[in-house]
Amino acid sequence: AHIDALAGEKQAQASDRIDRLRRHLLQEHLASPFSSPYELASLVQAAIAKHTQAATLPAPAETQRPVITWDISEKESPFPGLLRFTRKYQPVFFGRQAELREVLDRLHTGSSRFFMICGDSGVGKSSFVEAGLLPAIEDSGLPGAPHCRCKRMVPSAGDHPFDALMRSLHEEAQEAGMDGCSKGKVLGKDPSGFDDCMREIIQKGMNQESLVLFLDQMEELFTGQTREDADAFLTALCRSVDGGTLWVIATIRSDHLHHCERHPDLLKVLRGRGYYPLGQVDTIAMAEMIREPARCAGLEISNRLVRRILKECGTEAGSLPMLAFVLKQLYEGRIDRTLSEAVYDKLGGVAGAIAKHAESVEKKLSKAEGIGAELERLLADLFQKLVIVDMEGHPIRRYARRADLTAMGLESLVKHLINKRLLVWEGTGNESKLSVSHEMLFKHWPSLKRWIERNKEALYLRQQVRRVAADWEKNDRDDKYLWPDERVTDLADMMTRLNLDWDDFSPTQRAFMGPVDVQEMLKLIDDPTTRHRLRATIGRRLSLLGDPRPGVGLRADGLPDIEWCPVPGGTVTLETEQLDESTFEVEDFHIAKYPVTWIQYRAFLEAEDGFKNPEWWNKLLFQVDKPGRELNAFDNHPVTDVSWLEAMAFCCWLSNRLGCEIKLPTEYQWQQTATGGDPQRVYPWGQEWDPERANTYESGLGCTTAVGVYPRGASPVGALDMSGNVWEWCLNEYDVPSAVKEGGKSARAVRGGSWGYGPDNAAAAFRGHSGPNGRFDFLGFRVCRVSHILPPSATAQAGCGICQ
């Protein structure tokens, strides 16, 4: 056993020495790793070619300049800056050769035609594929596919993933005699024809070349699409891949891999050789990314500056785009052909370079014609088109269409920002789309960073709307998936903060959210096609957002804002045979347009001289200890659960505060208001019952609505809610209508029906009654005043603004 232990220790030491030797050889570029016979063969072939070339060519002299393969006079900078490396930059794409060989080896020897490249944001996934992998594939082909055409798509570049794909294949589809836009819509509804569609495009539109689809930023399938759309697209894609129709190379952020694990086809990819994690590069590779492009372009950069850049950039996530940007800035400020430390110091290093660049761009824009003072607003409008957040609250890119930006008047601003490489167009014509150059700008573009921090909650809520509305649609618009009306304040704040309008939401999202804009809700109230349920919703939401209608709320001094309707005098006959006296003469008077609302009554409850003041109860011979409990406590709804005694006390208080006589209407005054003096009028609006003009039992709502949301139910004098919503207390006794005593226990008349009663009770002449202490959730009141007013001196002393 002791001997075995010694042997094992020696073996471990030997293995450690071998590993250290391997790392040393790799760092010194004296060896290259390989993972398969194919890769070993390619390395041997490259070494032989290099040796043969070295044997036939003379060694360069020490002073001989390197061969320039990148002409800066024609191609400009060899560093793309904040833009990703595209195929244009393939000649100067360095530092990833080992990973590139390994991926190519897997593609040539593996069984998976669906290949996923995963890594953190900023690790260079898109650049690795587009500048490294795709050119190699197009140059040498794939197994069984000697001639390949590679096409890039991003899921958010369309209304849904199929639409985005067909947009990326627009030219090929057109060559195949197919309308790609229409086909994308068809596939979005029925993906079953996807494979046939791809085959037709390949056969007729690609000269029999094999299609390699580059699915870039695959995480957008899970952050910007419904789960159903994402699953349908992935399933169709995987079936075409399995059937040999096409190849797929996808890039995805590491923090979204868990979405792939729930899809059986993708889970199979993750478990096989079709999954490749692209990690951060080490400092040796990063140094190569600096030196080699500079060498190809005939530029000089000192080892000291290379070390400084590497030290500040580090190797953590996001270092590569920062590196590329600062190199681009050094190139722009080069002295002859030298990338100098003096320029680097002036830039403020890597992070400072990005921030200073963005700020300098904005400074110039603030003086530009047509932008100037509007810059902050225009940037906010632009940012809301270019940023969304994922469900963890992290900002990610959103793609904006040219037509949307044109409609918003952002063309000039966008043009400037594109020229300065802060934004980038992709695609051509009306199909082109705009995005920020790289997600690193979310952290290092000061204005954008501040805007995101200021609006993060609104951005998150917007993303929630997308996802929850999709669930609601999927579940046949079941009410249990809707948000409560109280969320309207959040939605309104979101739309205000992000400067959104209805066009920024899909029809499903608009239906899910319901009305949000106050002015739009007021228009819907006047729309005769608006149904009961929507009117109820509008009433609640107006209350939550602040109902601006006169006569519904409070004045600036905190007193009830009563809007008065003048009522002409006349003769009124009560419809009953049991009364000795049933005909009454009514003088001109004014009556409130609406029943007293909860906020108006609450002003009485909360006033120091209000509900608890014994003065208002003296003539009533009885003081109520505490008010009733309002069950539907929205400010613009009629107050309920209030007795006749409490309504009378309210009138005494308001008379004192306004300096004019405020009281409950008698039932003959009430009937004169409802009919306008026309004894033939059955309902406030006319002869025939119309269930859409009032909130009665037929509405099915089962509760009060905000006052005034049935404008077509108005009486001839303009008073609303005379039928339905709440019964209304009247001043006079029920059995003796001429008796208007302020005290006593006699039943008092009530009029108008309510939400719990039908058409008969809602008739203008129908009489109801209740004891003066009665409280019900369907019983409220409105007030009136006589046409004469107090003397000017008394009115001025009382401060009555309404009656002057």
Side-chain angles (χ1 to χ4, degrees), residues 18 94 111 157 163 214 228 240 318 448 473 545-546 565 578 598 624 626 640 697 715 727 737 778:
I18 291 172
F94 291 93
S111 59
D163 181 43
F214 173 27
E228 289 69 26
S240 277
L448 179 56
E473 182 74 20
L545 295 172
C565 297
Q578 300 176 357
W598 168 234
V624 177
K626 60 181 180 179
T640 60
Y697 178 80
S715 77
W727 288 99
F778 49 73

Side-chain angles (χ1 to χ4, degrees), residues 578-613:
Q578 300 176 357
L579 299 175
D580 295 334
E581 185 177 12
S582 59
T583 300
F584 298 87
E585 293 296 324
V586 175
E587 295 183 356
D588 295 351
F589 67 100
H590 286 75
I591 196 165
K593 183 176 183 178
Y594 309 112
V596 172
T597 61
W598 168 234
I599 192 175
Q600 292 172 340
Y601 188 72
R602 198 168 69 243
F604 168 58
L605 298 179
E606 296 173 353
E608 292 184 5
D609 65 339
F611 185 86
K612 296 180 180 179
N613 188 352

Side-chain angles (χ1 to χ4, degrees), residues 562-578:
I562 308 296
E563 184 170 0
W564 300 103
C565 297
V567 183
T571 301
V572 177
T573 299
L574 306 184
E575 290 188 356
T576 177
E577 298 177 356
Q578 300 176 357

Side-chain angles (χ1 to χ4, degrees), residues 113-114 116 194-195 215 218 230-246 248 263-269:
R113 297 167 64 99
F114 196 120
M116 290 173 55
F194 177 76
D195 191 59
L215 176 54
M218 182 177 169
D231 284 348
F233 180 72
L234 288 169
T235 299
L237 209 57
C238 289
R239 286 177 180 171
S240 277
V241 168
D242 292 342
T245 303
L246 48 79
V248 173
H263 195 286
D265 294 314
L266 297 184
L267 184 59
K268 187 164 51 175
V269 174

Side-chain angles (χ1 to χ4, degrees), residues 44 190 305 390 420 524 570 694:
V44 171
D190 180 13
L305 179 54
D390 60 22
K420 296 301 181 180
L524 287 171

